[in-house]
Amino acid sequence: MVYCGKPSKGCGECRSRKIRCDQAQPACSQCTRAKRDCPGYRDQLSLMFRDESKSVVRKAIAASTYKNKRAERLPRTAIPEGNPVRSELSTLVDPDFDFNSDPQHIYLMRQLGNFPLEIQPSQELEAAKYEAICYFLRSNALPGSFWTSETMSNFLMQSGGPASQKAMQASVVATATAMLSRVRRLPSLRDVAHREYGSALRLLNAALVDIEEAKTNQTLGAVILLAIYEVITSRAPENIDSWTNHINGATALLDIRGPDQLKTNAGLRLFLHLRYQIIVSCLQRDARVPESLLECTKLAIFLQPAEAHGNLLTMIIAKLSNLRSDIRTNTYENDREIISAASAIEADLIAWLAALPPEFNYTTHVKSPFDFTFQKRFRGISPYDDQYHVYPTQWVCTSWNQYRSARIIVSEIILSRVWQLSDSSSLASLSEEFRLHCRTLRLTIRRLAVEICRSVPYHLNTYQTERDPNLPPPESYLGGLVLLWHLFVAGVVENPRHGLRRWVVKCLESIGHTMGIDQALAVADIVAADPGVLPSVTEEEN
């Protein structure tokens, strides 16, 4: 039995006339209006799967005969044996990977076309693309992720289609080949990724001309993928702006899509996937979070009662970003107003923490001095201060780090404003209770930075005797991607000579080299050069 694609659901009369059928019961509206007898609808399941065993045998024999005759006429000299490109591609195609038996990618492979039993040199590059796409899907195989095999079968691998569909296809190929070229160190695939990226941009621009096409999940998915492409390929710190530009474009699409985007499961997952990236972008640029994103988040709270804590945390972090924007634009009259606004957000974060359910609990473990395989399991990283966390799910771990990063930032705002008050000889007017609170904030900042570092091994785990479905697969880049912002926030807490700072820089460099995320290397450079948050505060708060 093979999957034969999604058949038309229209009645026989509408299909023969090639017109849209509304599939009304007991007869479609077109036939009713024309006063024709509606022939009814076909059994979808029987059409989607057919017994093609005999047909496959005939095609295999024919293909083998054609291949042998063609090999006699055209010697296999398309890529010479000593050519470095050939050697690169031969290391890329894994001869032990059975694509047709991998249940997660059977549909993908059948849509793209079956692999020949013996790959010709001219086919090696296409085979590399196929493996890159499968690598991408395996790297995103998490419950609740938008980029699951099921979603890809619906939105990615349909043949033909409008410009948005083709843009998403090209975006996946660009992102997948860019990732794999860096992980496997294959420069030839970087050229493929660059070409596919250009093609995706052209197709995306064509899709954006039509307002209805712009609203589709495929268009938004293509923009998100291109943003991920920039994260993977942006090595220089100034190139982070390219990622910001794509996030801004995705934000504009969210405005156009409106609340209707949350009505489907795929649309909701796309929104949740993109939402935090937008807020992080706003935090980095001291910009206000779009009101449309907040309105959709309020709706998501009702649609996802089980994840209400995550949605509520998002609303608090959005307040924090808006506060930073107001500080940048001098909205507040004095430092006391800023301290008051920041303290209110701090109180919201503390209240969020106090209301956490038991399923948010995690455990702290100490690395055994006799555990000689730890670094192998965690991409060469030793745990900071020999301690690490274990969480029930990756989503819980990410939520904790979002809380920690937000708490560090809001605490730094309060402390920095206290520092400015001390410069203006107004510190004496602050109560002893508040000065004690500032000393507590310094301890809290340091503790939260350490906790972020202790969460890193959970995200980077590459080996488990019993596979946890909530953890990223061994080749996943997701763990490294979600850690970039949090490691930056934790890394700039201490001064450049501090052990935590050096550990964070080393960790970011490891993520960049082992996961193929070039932006991690850019963030490592930024962290290494930052003067640090706490050294700027006087010792009076100690």
Side-chain angles (χ1 to χ4, degrees):
M1 303 295 288
V2 298
Y3 182 77
C4 302
K6 188 176 181 180
S8 172
K9 294 181 180 180
C11 71
E13 187 68 26
C14 289
R15 283 187 286 106
S16 65
R17 296 167 63 88
K18 296 183 179 180
I19 60 176
R20 185 182 296 276
C21 180
D22 62 4
Q23 304 164 39
Q25 296 289 346
C28 76
S29 301
Q30 288 84 345
C31 291
T32 301
R33 284 196 299 268
K35 297 182 179 180
R36 294 190 301 264
D37 290 333
C38 183
Y41 311 105
R42 302 181 293 178
D43 179 18
Q44 296 291 300
L45 188 61
S46 63
L47 291 170
M48 291 171 67
F49 295 90
R50 294 202 305 266
D51 187 354
E52 292 286 341
S53 302
K54 295 181 179 180
S55 175
V56 169
V57 172
R58 288 196 303 270
K59 290 179 180 179
I61 295 174
S64 177
T65 303
Y66 173 77
K67 182 179 67 174
N68 293 335
K69 290 181 178 179
R70 188 171 185 272
E72 294 175 359
R73 297 194 304 269
L74 298 174
R76 296 175 59 173
T77 56
I79 303 179
E81 287 290 339
N83 192 301
V85 173
R86 178 184 176 87
S87 61
E88 286 177 2
L89 293 175
S90 64
T91 62
L92 174 64
V93 181
D94 183 1
D96 297 325
F97 185 79
D98 186 359
F99 290 94
N100 290 323
S101 66
D102 186 350
Q104 202 171 33
H105 305 98
I106 286 178
Y107 178 76
L108 170 68
M109 290 298 98
R110 284 172 177 163
Q111 286 295 104
L112 291 173
N114 294 323
F115 275 118
L117 295 178
E118 296 181 8
I119 299 177
Q120 299 285 347
S122 60
Q123 296 173 311
E124 288 179 344
L125 192 57
E126 289 302 313
K129 287 184 182 180
Y130 296 156
E131 185 176 2
I133 294 173
C134 290
Y135 172 86
F136 176 85
L137 293 182
R138 292 196 301 274
S139 298
N140 288 272
L142 279 177
S145 170
F146 176 78
W147 317 108
T148 60
S149 297
E150 177 187 2
T151 305
M152 286 301 174
S153 67
N154 291 330
F155 293 104
L156 173 62
M157 291 303 139
Q158 297 173 8
S159 59
S164 59
Q165 181 74 42
K166 296 176 182 177
M168 189 169 176
Q169 291 174 333
S171 299
V172 169
V173 176
T175 305
T177 51
M179 289 168 57
L180 206 56
S181 71
R182 283 155 175 77
V183 172
R184 305 281 179 84
R185 293 178 174 83
L186 301 175
S188 60
L189 274 187
R190 295 191 182 190
D191 297 334
V192 176
H194 184 71
R195 289 196 300 270
E196 293 291 341
Y197 177 79
S199 175
L201 284 178
R202 289 191 297 271
L203 291 165
L204 188 58
N205 288 332
L208 293 175
V209 173
D210 186 339
I211 186 66
E212 294 303 320
E213 278 292 296
K215 292 181 180 180
T216 63
N217 289 334
Q218 293 95 322
T219 298
L220 183 59
V223 175
I224 295 175
L225 285 163
L226 293 180
I228 295 175
Y229 176 92
E230 296 295 348
V231 173
I232 294 167
T233 60
S234 296
R235 173 63 179 88
E238 58 270 19
N239 290 343
I240 295 178
D241 290 342
S242 299
W243 171 78
T244 302
N245 291 336
H246 285 304
I247 294 300
N248 289 340
T251 304
L253 289 179
L254 288 183
D255 290 338
I256 295 174
R257 287 158 62 92
D260 289 344
Q261 65 188 300
L262 307 181
K263 291 181 178 179
T264 65
N265 186 41
L268 178 60
R269 284 189 289 173
L270 264 178
F271 169 75
L272 297 176
H273 185 92
L274 179 61
R275 180 182 62 185
Y276 190 71
Q277 294 186 56
I278 294 175
I279 294 180
V280 168
S281 175
C282 291
L283 283 168
Q284 291 176 349
R285 297 178 291 116
D286 293 339
R288 294 190 69 83
V289 175
E291 193 62 32
S292 58
L293 184 142
L294 300 180
E295 292 300 321
C296 287
T297 298
K298 293 176 184 177
L299 180 57
I301 292 176
F302 293 100
L303 296 174
Q304 289 187 307
E307 298 183 10
H309 289 283
N311 289 317
L312 289 172
L313 179 60
T314 297
M315 299 294 288
I316 299 172
I317 297 174
K319 290 182 184 179
L320 175 59
S321 184
N322 291 345
L323 171 62
R324 286 164 62 97
S325 174
D326 291 341
I327 294 173
R328 178 180 59 84
T329 56
N330 298 316
T331 302
Y332 295 96
E333 294 184 359
N334 53 57
D335 290 326
R336 290 180 179 277
E337 288 188 359
I338 296 175
I339 292 173
S340 177
S343 297
I345 295 175
E346 180 194 28
D348 288 341
L349 289 169
I350 294 173
W352 179 87
L353 181 65
L356 284 182
E359 53 264 29
F360 270 72
N361 294 338
Y362 62 88
T363 56
T364 301
H365 301 259
V366 179
K367 175 184 172 294
S368 168
F370 303 103
D371 186 356
F372 303 109
T373 64
F374 190 95
Q375 287 181 267
K376 181 179 180 181
R377 299 199 309 271
F378 297 100
R379 301 181 184 270
I381 296 293
S382 293
Y384 180 72
D385 69 3
D386 283 336
Q387 297 187 51
Y388 61 98
H389 294 164
V390 174
Y391 296 83
T393 67
Q394 190 195 39
W395 178 76
V396 168
C397 181
T398 301
S399 297
W400 270 105
N401 281 338
Q402 289 173 3
Y403 157 79
R404 292 164 181 149
S405 296
R407 188 85 184 273
I408 289 174
I409 293 171
V410 75
S411 300
E412 186 274 331
I413 291 175
I414 295 173
L415 289 175
S416 65
R417 294 298 151 171
V418 170
W419 166 248
Q420 294 190 27
L421 284 175
S422 68
D423 271 357
S424 62
S425 302
S426 300
L427 185 61
S429 63
L430 296 176
S431 67
E432 179 62 29
E433 181 182 358
F434 191 80
R435 281 192 275 183
L436 177 62
H437 179 61
C438 289
R439 288 194 289 270
T440 303
L441 286 179
R442 289 167 63 86
L443 295 175
T444 299
I445 288 176
R446 285 194 162 105
R447 174 177 58 80
L448 293 173
V450 170
E451 289 180 358
I452 289 175
C453 294
R454 289 176 180 172
S455 74
V456 169
Y458 180 83
H459 280 292
L460 304 186
N461 195 352
T462 60
Y463 171 78
Q464 293 169 305
T465 54
E466 294 184 6
R467 187 69 198 153
D468 183 350
N470 294 311
L471 277 175
E475 288 190 304
S476 174
Y477 76 96
L478 287 176
L481 193 64
V482 300
L483 280 172
L484 295 187
W485 169 247
H486 306 304
L487 282 174
F488 166 77
V489 173
V492 299
V493 164
E494 302 289 358
N495 67 72
R497 297 181 301 278
H498 196 280
L500 184 142
R501 172 78 68 93
R502 294 196 300 270
W503 185 91
V504 167
V505 171
K506 180 181 178 182
C507 185
L508 287 167
E509 291 174 345
S510 176
I511 290 173
H513 293 305
T514 65
M515 294 187 173
I517 303 175
D518 282 2
Q519 197 171 104
L521 304 177
V523 175
D525 293 341
I526 296 173
V527 171
D530 194 277
V533 170
L534 291 181
S536 65
V537 183
T538 63
E539 294 302 319
E540 293 185 50
E541 284 79 42
N542 277 331

